[in-house]
Amino acid sequence: MSYVPSQTLAERAVAGDLRAVGRLISRAEASTEEARAALALIYRRAGRAHVIGLTGVPGSGKSTLVAKLTHVLRARGEKVGIVAVDPSSPYSGGAILGDRIRMTELANDPGVFIRSMATRGATGGMARAALDACDILDVAGYSTIIIETVGVGQDEVEIAHASDTTLVVSAPGLGDEIQAIKAGILEIADIHVVSKCDRDDAHRTLTDLKQMLTLGALTKAKPTWQIPVIGVSSYSGQGIEELVTKIAEHRAAFAGELGLERRRRVALFRLLKTAETVLLERFGSGAALLAPPLAAQLAERDADPYAAARALIDATIRKEYGHGLA
């Protein structure tokens, strides 16, 4: 099969060609240099979709909730894109698709596009190419895009800098009411969701989260958005319609000028992440050639790690940009 230029794939993706969408996302994941001009064009045309970030510890029912949310959104006529970030396989580097079995019922819906994406070592629960995937799905006509983070625990705060509405999912019996206090998890939520509310101990989790939010509000100026705590049950369907309504209310509340600060925060996150990726790629290509002699000196204790590291960075920058560190 001959190589299809990324610009051609971009044109096909805009026309709704699902194969082109999938192939372009793959090139974004692989960080293909040839694809970057096409991704740049797509970025300029994107921005219409509403991006929902969904995070929470493993076992809180994130994947099941995504499936239920998608059913309700589809019933309202929306096309839904799902970017499900999974842990990376230690062997292939690809996504381990353990939780996607809960979304198989959506696979035959032409209005739903599901893409599993490996973290590939990224911290914060986000895959590097997740936002590129959102742009591609945006221009392909998906009005709502859900990013489900990997579920690694307390460090998944990046999603708040990458989504228009952030949902933090807790579940009874997991100690999430304590975990939520740590590492900013409580603060990043636009909506707190307590799943599995058909369980007897769900009321305590709901009450604890509401009390913590009330205490936090006492120390801050009156916010533009009062963070709700919504109990849902994916088994019975309880609370799902209310959650979709709250998501719509949050989107409306942050439209226009009120959402400008958030959009700038998302743009800053995107800028820094992209710059980091480009720098790491350029450093990696130069370091592969320049590091072995320095490593040999380090092995013989003829240099210390800090001096060797600075020499490596300096030599790499000089090689890439024509000058060293100031």
Side-chain angles (χ1 to χ4, degrees):
M1 183 182 294
S2 60
Y3 186 86
V4 179
S6 295
Q7 292 281 12
T8 302
L9 290 178
E11 293 167 6
R12 293 178 183 175
V14 171
D17 184 333
L18 297 186
R19 291 184 64 186
V21 168
R23 292 174 71 180
L24 204 51
I25 291 175
S26 294
R27 292 184 188 179
E29 281 192 276
S31 197
T32 306
E33 184 72 32
E34 184 269 344
R36 287 183 177 169
L39 293 173
L41 179 64
I42 282 173
Y43 178 82
R44 292 178 179 276
R45 298 183 64 170
R48 295 185 298 273
H50 185 65
V51 179
I52 300 170
L54 194 145
T55 189
V57 298
S60 56
K62 298 188 300 297
S63 294
T64 306
L65 178 59
V66 169
K68 295 298 181 182
L69 272 175
T70 301
H71 277 300
V72 174
L73 291 168
R74 289 292 295 133
R76 297 185 178 192
E78 294 194 37
K79 289 181 69 178
V80 181
I82 300 170
V83 179
V85 183
D86 283 293
S88 298
S89 165
Y91 302 104
S92 67
I96 300 173
L97 312 182
D99 287 342
R100 299 292 79 76
I101 192 169
R102 297 177 178 86
M103 297 187 195
T104 52
E105 58 196 77
L106 301 171
N108 294 324
D109 187 337
V112 178
F113 187 98
I114 304 172
R115 179 63 178 242
S116 284
M117 187 171 286
T119 55
R120 298 177 187 267
T123 58
M126 286 277 291
R128 179 192 52 75
L131 294 180
D132 285 331
C134 288
D135 290 339
I136 295 165
L137 291 168
D138 186 332
V139 299
Y142 292 87
S143 52
T144 298
I145 300 166
I146 302 173
I147 306 175
E148 180 195 341
T149 69
V150 69
V152 294
Q154 298 172 16
D155 63 348
E156 296 197 24
V157 295
E158 282 191 349
I159 189 64
H161 302 294
S163 59
D164 300 311
T165 302
T166 305
L167 312 184
V168 174
V169 185
S170 306
L174 295 180
D176 290 9
E177 61 272 17
I178 302 302
Q179 298 298 329
I181 302 172
K182 301 178 182 179
I185 293 294
L186 189 69
E187 287 80 6
I188 70 168
D190 296 307
I191 301 172
H192 274 287
V193 182
V194 178
S195 63
K196 307 178 184 181
C197 273
D198 47 301
R199 289 179 44 167
D200 294 336
D201 52 350
H203 180 72
R204 178 180 174 181
T205 304
L206 283 164
T207 302
D208 288 347
L209 280 172
K210 288 176 180 178
Q211 287 178 343
M212 282 187 278
L213 288 170
T214 300
L215 289 172
L218 295 176
T219 63
K220 299 177 182 177
K222 186 176 180 180
T224 305
W225 171 256
Q226 296 290 336
I227 301 171
V229 180
I230 300 175
V232 303
S233 169
S234 297
Y235 177 75
S236 67
Q238 170 193 342
I240 302 296
E241 289 281 354
E242 181 187 359
L243 176 57
V244 173
T245 299
K246 282 295 180 184
I247 291 170
E249 288 177 4
H250 182 265
R251 182 180 188 179
F254 283 85
E257 289 299 316
L258 282 177
L260 182 59
E261 181 182 348
R262 186 175 189 127
R263 291 192 296 275
R264 286 177 174 170
R265 189 170 71 240
V266 171
L268 177 61
F269 172 80
R270 187 77 176 270
L271 171 63
L272 294 177
K273 276 293 179 184
T274 305
E276 181 182 289
T277 298
V278 172
L279 281 172
L280 283 172
E281 286 175 355
R282 293 194 172 187
F283 173 76
S285 63
L289 297 173
L290 300 169
L294 290 168
Q297 293 178 29
L298 199 60
E300 296 298 325
R301 307 278 174 176
D302 292 332
D304 65 85
Y306 303 100
R310 184 174 178 85
L312 177 60
I313 293 170
D314 188 56
T316 304
I317 290 176
R318 187 179 294 111
K319 177 179 179 294
E320 289 291 327
Y321 301 103
H323 56 81
L325 296 174

